[in-house]
Each structure stands twice: as C-alpha cells, then as structure tokens.
C-alpha cells in the first residue's frame, strides 16, 4: 500500500524539501499523511480545475509544482481551490523551489526537452547551462524553443552572436540574468520584465521570455515516469490543463 507520506518521502529524497527557498511553501499542504493513494493527479498548478479533475477521476492525491497555498490565508470558502480539495478529501503535495534546484528537476528536465548537451548547474542553483548539438542564429533558436515548448507567444531580444551555449531557468528567472550572461550565449526563462530585457538588448545578448507555463509544465510532468517506476500500485494521471494565459 502506498501512502501520501511514501510519495512525499520519495520526492524529499530527490528534491529535499529543506532546500526550498524561505518564501516558498512546498511540501505536504493539505490532507492526511497516512492516506492510501491509488490514483494521483499531476499538474503544474493546484487550481479549481485540477481539483475538479481529481474528484472526477477518484484520485486521493494531487501533486503539483506550484503550491496551492503560497501566502497566509484568513479563510477557506466555497469557490476556492483549497475548499474544493479539502471538502473532497483530496491530499495535496507540492514540489516547487526544491524541485527547481534539484538534480533531474525542472531545469535539467527543460534542458533535456531542448536536447542540450554537457549540462552543468550554475552557482546560483536555479540555472543550468548546456550546449546545443549544432550552433545556430538567435532567430533559429527562438523558433526551436517555440516548437519544443509549444509556446503560444514568445518574447526575445535579438543578437548577432552565434548561439551555442544556453543558460536556462524555468519560470520567473529575472534574478539570474547576470549569471546567464557570464556563462552562456543566450538565456531562456519563463518570464522577464521589460527593463530586464532592455538590459540584455543593449548588450546585444539574446534573452528569451518563453512563458512561465511553457517552461515548467512539460518539465514538471517528466517526474511522472520516475514515480511510476517506484510506485507501481499507483495510477499517475496528468490533468488536462492548458495555459490559462492566452496569446495571439
């Protein structure tokens, strides 16, 4: 029999929860550690849509990247994801910044999707760098990223530099631009502010803002294969969630 705690302990072994950032809220968020798990739903976000899907499929557990409770809450009312999870007795585990930084976590999985080689973790812990199999122009690499990550919209700064080494960080990676510039020809992340991209543009450096959902969703769901090998008595199901933020 597999319990919520069994799955928590496995995640803790590959992405220790004590490595999460101080502001984060990863871990066992809702439910009973002792509850048996026969079906588990995986999703990037613990939304009401995810809760409804978990209820419909009869899942006992939802495992997400982004925490269902991020800051303090003063109440739990109908019409919220927390209420839906609790009222339907669905346990929730979240693996956020601990999984971002982990070996084989979000960023190394993202590098794998892009088929980068010679992967190295950079000193900030949140970014990794790797080499393209074949060097290419900035425009060509942007197109590759768009195709591999199924981007609905993509923002980038152009560069005359030939792109070979890529630094990347899934999600919001504005804090790591300097590290990326010092270690790579191009920086791929999910979100960058205008002034951050302006800084890159003025230095002739290619920075790609490919979308928070796009840079993390597929990378997080790659955890499913690992879980299935360990917990053979649990059915892991991917929630059919799409990016709620649309682009034209």
């Amino acid at each position: 029999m597999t319990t919520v705690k069994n799955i928590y302990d496995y995640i803790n072994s590959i992405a220790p929860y004590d490595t999460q950032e101080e502001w984060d809220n990863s871990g066992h968020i809702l439910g009973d550690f002792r509850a048996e798990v026969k079906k588990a739903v995986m999703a990037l976000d613990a939304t009401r849509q995810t809760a409804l899907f978990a209820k419909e499929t009869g899942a006992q557990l939802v495992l997400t990247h982004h925490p269902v409770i991020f800051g303090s809450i003063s109440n739990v009312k109908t019409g919220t994801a927390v209420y839906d999870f609790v009222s339907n007795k669905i346990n929730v585990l979240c693996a956020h910044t601990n999984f971002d930084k982990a070996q084989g976590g979000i960023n190394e999985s993202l590098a794998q999707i892009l088929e980068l080689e010679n992967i190295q973790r950079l000193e900030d812990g949140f970014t990794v760098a790797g080499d393209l199999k074949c060097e290419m122009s900035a425009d060509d690499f942007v197109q590759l990223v768009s195709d591999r990550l199924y981007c609905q919209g993509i923002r980038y700064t152009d560069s005359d530099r030939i792109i070979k080494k890529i630094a990347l960080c899934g999600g919001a990676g504005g804090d790591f631009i300097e590290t990326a510039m010092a270690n790579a020809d191009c920086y791929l992340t999910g979100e960058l502010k205008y002034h951050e991209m302006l800084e890159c543009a003025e230095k002739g450096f290619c920075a790609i803002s490919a979308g928070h959902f796009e840079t993390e969703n597929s990378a997080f769901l790659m955890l499913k294969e690992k879980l299935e090998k360990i917990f053979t008595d649990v059915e892991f199901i991917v929630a059919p969630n799409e990016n709620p933020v649309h682009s034209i």
Side-chain angles (χ1 to χ4, degrees):
M1 181 183 80
T2 296
T3 65
V4 174
K5 188 175 187 305
N6 293 147
I7 296 175
Y8 171 95
D9 287 343
Y10 171 72
I11 295 173
N12 190 48
S13 72
I14 62 172
Y17 282 109
D18 62 8
T19 65
Q20 69 179 290
E21 296 296 289
E22 292 182 1
W23 47 263
D24 196 11
N25 191 36
S26 292
H28 180 217
I29 309 299
L30 300 173
D32 183 357
F33 244 169
R34 301 165 296 178
E36 181 179 5
V37 180
K38 295 182 178 179
K39 289 185 179 181
V41 167
M42 297 183 65
L44 184 68
D45 300 298
T47 60
R48 293 196 70 201
Q49 180 183 2
T50 304
L52 177 61
F53 180 76
K55 178 184 177 182
E56 290 176 344
T57 56
Q60 297 80 35
L61 173 67
V62 165
L63 172 60
T64 67
H65 182 49
H66 296 138
V68 64
I69 300 174
F70 220 148
S72 61
I73 58 175
S74 57
N75 55 63
V76 178
K77 297 182 178 180
T78 57
T80 65
V82 173
Y83 179 89
D84 290 343
F85 284 121
V86 173
S87 62
N88 290 298
K89 297 182 179 179
I90 299 171
N91 301 275
V92 179
L93 290 178
C94 306
H96 189 210
T97 54
N98 59 311
F99 195 62
D100 284 327
K101 296 184 284 186
Q103 184 174 0
I106 288 288
N107 295 318
E108 292 190 12
S109 295
L110 181 57
Q112 185 177 340
I113 292 170
L114 296 171
E115 297 184 356
L116 301 185
E117 302 175 328
N118 306 317
I119 306 300
Q120 61 181 110
R121 301 176 69 192
L122 302 182
E123 60 183 359
D124 57 59
F126 276 103
T127 52
V128 302
D131 297 323
L132 290 168
K133 292 181 179 179
C134 299
E135 61 184 28
M136 61 184 69
S137 68
D139 288 341
D140 286 344
F141 179 63
V142 169
Q143 187 60 57
L144 184 151
V145 170
S146 183
D147 292 343
R148 293 285 176 85
L149 302 184
Y150 307 103
C151 297
Q152 296 185 32
I154 194 164
R155 299 162 58 235
Y156 70 101
T157 58
D158 205 356
S159 174
D160 293 331
R161 184 186 301 186
I162 294 299
I163 306 301
K164 176 65 173 178
K165 192 168 188 178
I166 312 299
L168 54 81
C169 173
D175 291 341
F176 314 115
I177 289 177
E178 294 299 326
T179 299
M181 285 185 174
N183 289 276
D185 303 312
C186 175
Y187 182 38
L188 167 64
T189 188
E191 295 180 39
L192 288 172
K193 296 178 181 178
Y194 174 74
H195 75 271
E196 293 167 339
M197 298 194 78
L198 182 61
E199 175 187 351
C200 294
E202 290 188 332
K203 294 180 179 179
F205 183 79
C206 180
I208 304 172
S209 179
H212 202 123
F213 182 91
E214 288 82 355
T215 56
E216 291 192 325
N217 186 60
S218 295
F220 177 70
L221 295 177
M222 289 174 71
L223 176 60
K224 178 175 180 284
E225 184 177 350
K226 297 177 183 179
L227 291 166
E228 288 173 332
K229 290 180 180 179
I230 301 296
F231 303 103
T232 57
D233 60 334
V234 178
E235 180 183 2
F236 291 92
I237 308 166
V238 173
N241 297 349
E242 297 180 353
N243 188 351
V245 181
H246 300 286
S247 301
I248 58 172

